[in-house]
Amino acid sequence: MRTHLISSFIMTIVISLLLLTSLLPYLTFTAHVNVGIVNGTEAKPHSRPYMVSVQNNGYHICGGFLISNDLVLTAAHCWGRRDILTVVVGAHDLRKSKCSDRIEVMSYIPHPEYKSMPIRNDIMLLKLKKKVELNNKVRLISLPKDRDIKAGTRCIVAGWGRLKTNGPASYLLMEANTTIKNQTECQRRWIFNYLATQMICAYGGGGSCNGDSGGPLVCGDTAVGVTSFGSALRCNSPELPNVYTKISAYLQWFREQI
């Protein structure tokens, strides 16, 4: 009887290890490029005036969004410690952005407990060297109150990232509909990579891809998440829904910084 129990226990462990091994390719991601918009449509020019392009040496690397006239919210993994970033505001077609649209970053404020592996607290404020002039092309977006977003809520993601897995990036701002998933489902899909207290996951007909990191997950008129990571093998994967840093978990941190 004891021998049978030991054998069953060992078999259970072996099966568990085999299942975990089969999932490993899906549980890896490259922080700087992990998550353009796939299966999306071109946004109406300047219909999302809060969007900014975060750039390094004049090249788009991430999205971001204006939460005050001199603060941009983005993902912490979008900044290497030696990078000198700029942001482009009021853009739709990045090829047509003007010098006046480009603003230098004065200071970088990543969350003090940000970690890249496994990714945690993937959120950062960029303090701009000058205040932006708010107009019909440049506006702020509101942040959530202290509450969670319900599963099944229809939301929107936008960005200038890749149009398909391993495909070209877009010069035009693209957008796509997506739907908030149940936290239990998110946890089951991502296992140890997912932390429900500080993350949301979403999946829809279109979604985020390489170059969209740092952009907002917008539900209604409110930014509820910051694009953080997704499957390394397939953008907008149904097996591994895109993951967003949950903004409502960081409201106190925002207050302390601002």
Side-chain angles (χ1 to χ4, degrees):
M1 182 68 175
R2 184 178 178 183
T3 302
H4 176 71
L5 289 173
I6 292 173
S7 298
S8 298
F9 179 68
I10 292 173
M11 183 61 69
T12 300
I13 292 176
V14 169
I15 292 173
S16 298
L17 288 172
L18 287 172
L19 286 171
L20 181 58
T21 301
S22 68
L23 283 170
L24 283 177
Y26 297 96
L27 300 177
T28 59
F29 51 87
T30 304
H32 275 277
V33 295
N34 69 314
V35 281
I37 300 296
V38 295
N39 298 330
T41 57
E42 180 183 348
K44 181 182 177 181
H46 312 297
S47 61
R48 304 200 174 279
Y50 49 81
M51 289 292 300
V52 308
S53 168
V54 178
Q55 301 192 354
N56 185 19
N57 293 320
Y59 293 97
H60 172 87
I61 59 168
C62 277
F65 48 106
L66 283 165
I67 61 170
S68 81
N69 57 6
D70 62 352
L71 282 175
V72 167
L73 189 56
T74 188
H77 78 252
C78 291
W79 178 55
R81 296 288 174 171
R82 297 182 180 179
D83 292 344
I84 299 176
L85 302 181
T86 58
V87 302
V88 175
V89 302
H92 174 70
D93 185 338
L94 293 180
R95 295 168 296 186
K96 297 180 180 180
S97 57
K98 303 173 184 176
C99 292
S100 58
D101 298 332
R102 187 179 302 277
I103 303 173
E104 294 181 28
V105 174
M106 180 173 70
S107 58
Y108 306 85
I109 314 171
H111 192 278
E113 297 179 19
Y114 164 67
K115 289 172 53 180
S116 59
M117 290 297 284
I119 203 158
R120 295 288 185 266
N121 302 298
D122 189 18
I123 196 165
M124 176 173 64
L125 289 166
L126 301 176
K127 177 78 170 178
L128 304 181
K129 282 191 174 182
K130 67 175 184 178
K131 294 182 178 182
V132 300
E133 181 181 342
L134 302 180
N135 52 51
N136 62 337
K137 294 183 180 180
V138 181
R139 292 202 177 277
L140 313 181
I141 189 168
S142 61
L143 300 182
K145 305 301 181 185
D146 191 11
R147 62 180 179 84
D148 287 339
I149 191 77
K150 292 182 179 179
T153 302
R154 290 286 297 273
C155 304
I156 289 176
V157 288
W160 289 275
R162 294 187 183 183
L163 300 172
K164 62 180 181 179
T165 306
N166 299 321
S170 175
Y171 291 108
L172 305 174
L173 181 65
M174 305 292 287
E175 64 183 19
N177 294 318
T178 191
T179 303
I180 303 296
K181 306 294 288 184
N182 181 279
Q183 287 284 41
T184 302
E185 179 70 7
C186 299
Q187 190 75 67
R188 185 180 72 81
R189 296 284 187 174
W190 281 103
I191 312 177
F192 53 81
N193 281 291
Y194 194 83
L195 193 59
T197 57
Q198 57 180 245
M199 298 176 185
I200 311 168
C201 86
Y203 173 75
S208 303
C209 193
N210 303 52
D212 285 331
S213 291
L217 173 66
V218 178
C219 303
D221 297 321
T222 303
V224 303
V226 179
T227 306
S228 183
F229 66 89
S231 169
L233 301 181
R234 179 182 176 186
C235 293
N236 197 41
S237 166
E239 292 82 15
L240 292 172
N242 290 327
V243 177
Y244 305 83
T245 303
K246 186 195 299 183
I247 292 175
S248 62
Y250 297 90
L251 296 179
Q252 182 58 40
W253 179 68
F254 292 147
R255 294 186 190 106
E256 292 170 359
Q257 305 310 313
I258 295 173

